[in-house]
Amino acid sequence: AQSVSQHNHHVILSEAASLELGCNYSYGGTVNLFWYVQYPGQHLQLLLKYFSGDPLVKGIKGFEAEFIKSKFSFNLRKPSVQWSDTAEYFCAVNANAGNNRKLIWGLGTSLAVNP
Amino acid sequence: GAVVSQHPSWVICKSGTSVKIECRSLDFQATTMFWYRQFPKQSLMLMATSNEGSKATYEQGVEKDKFLINHASLTLSTLTVTSAHPEDSSFYICSARKRLAGISHEQYFGPGTRLTVT
């Protein structure tokens, strides 16, 4: 069965620290990869996505992620976090097969950035 | 843009009653809508996938007679929680995929509906 694992459940950083959140998936075929963010009290928003092409994807608010096919990974990075980045981060994978092509979600990572 | 709205944003109901939640794609047509449930500090749990004009596909363990889904048009899907019980209290989120999504399959999320059953 397809699955997505996020290794860090809770991360606490100080402002200006660098961030890397791990995401691994289990599916051998073609995938679409997503990172979503949920700020406190707000709905899910797309941070970035990968479908094909350059494996280094740049998203909003200075975030980027790198797709490494050989490692089945799609880690999220930001060189310098801000207090406003405090949120829940979800990695999701859409296996490019089947009719509905539902998203498979990781359990999420709670990021707290101290000012 | 791709805006998805949900109504109501929060609802309190008594045990045994039914509650309907609406999900609308405001500026695009959505052939597929998804209903999720989110528990506090946890990930999203997909409940069902709804395609316009056909029956919803429910995930394993989700009671289709309890969570009725209707996707009558390309911009509206509804979730009805029938005979609600306190354990149904949760945050319900819908998402929609554009009709001409192509290979992207990107989903756009609504703001969620907080259901509290007393």
Side-chain angles (χ1 to χ4, degrees):
Chain A
Q2 300 155 23
S3 65
V4 176
S5 64
Q6 291 182 239
H7 315 297
N8 319 98
H9 298 297
H10 301 282
V11 174
I12 301 174
L13 295 173
S14 298
E15 275 195 318
S18 64
L19 169 72
E20 179 158 4
L21 301 181
C23 173
N24 285 86
Y25 64 93
S26 64
Y27 182 70
T30 304
V31 292
N32 301 324
L33 300 156
F34 305 82
W35 274 98
Y36 283 88
V37 61
Q38 188 173 30
Y39 296 103
Q42 296 188 29
H43 63 279
L44 282 160
Q45 301 172 41
L46 181 67
L47 263 184
L48 47 78
K49 59 191 177 186
Y50 171 81
F51 298 135
S52 63
D54 189 344
L56 184 61
V57 179
K58 294 194 183 296
I60 61 171
K61 305 187 180 187
F63 286 91
E64 65 178 31
E66 184 175 11
F67 170 49
I68 303 179
K69 189 174 181 179
S70 60
K71 294 184 178 180
F72 298 91
S73 70
F74 190 55
N75 293 353
L76 180 71
R77 299 194 293 249
K78 185 170 183 178
S80 176
V81 295
Q82 300 173 309
W83 175 79
S84 58
D85 293 324
T86 295
E88 295 278 334
Y89 291 83
F90 295 95
C91 179
V93 174
N94 187 331
N96 200 7
N99 293 327
N100 285 326
R101 304 184 188 182
K102 60 189 179 185
L103 286 174
I104 309 298
W105 293 83
L107 291 178
T109 298
S110 175
L111 171 65
V113 180
N114 295 322
Chain B
V3 181
V4 176
S5 70
Q6 281 184 241
H7 178 80
S9 55
W10 60 271
V11 57
I12 302 172
C13 71
K14 291 186 177 181
S15 186
T17 61
S18 296
V19 174
K20 179 185 283 188
I21 302 170
E22 291 185 349
C23 176
R24 293 182 186 273
S25 55
L26 298 184
D27 52 1
F28 66 97
Q29 292 182 325
T31 45
T32 305
M33 288 185 171
F34 302 84
W35 284 97
Y36 294 88
R37 188 171 174 177
Q38 187 179 30
F39 294 98
K41 301 291 185 182
Q42 294 189 28
S43 186
L44 282 75
M45 183 192 82
L46 179 65
M47 298 175 66
T49 302
S50 145
N51 289 300
E52 185 263 338
S54 62
K55 290 184 179 180
T57 301
Y58 289 82
E59 294 300 300
Q60 193 172 10
V62 177
E63 298 176 61
K64 60 182 179 182
D65 294 330
K66 181 168 185 60
F67 298 100
L68 300 178
I69 292 172
N70 185 289
H71 192 162
S73 77
L74 285 172
T75 58
L76 172 65
S77 176
T78 60
L79 168 68
T80 302
V81 183
T82 62
S83 186
H85 290 285
E87 57 265 30
D88 298 325
S89 297
S90 190
F91 196 54
Y92 293 87
I93 303 173
C94 76
S95 70
R97 193 163 65 208
K98 288 183 176 179
R99 178 166 165 260
L100 299 176
I103 64 169
S104 73
H105 305 295
E106 181 176 344
Q107 294 180 26
Y108 300 92
F109 286 81
T113 297
R114 172 76 58 197
L115 170 63
T116 301
V117 184
T118 60

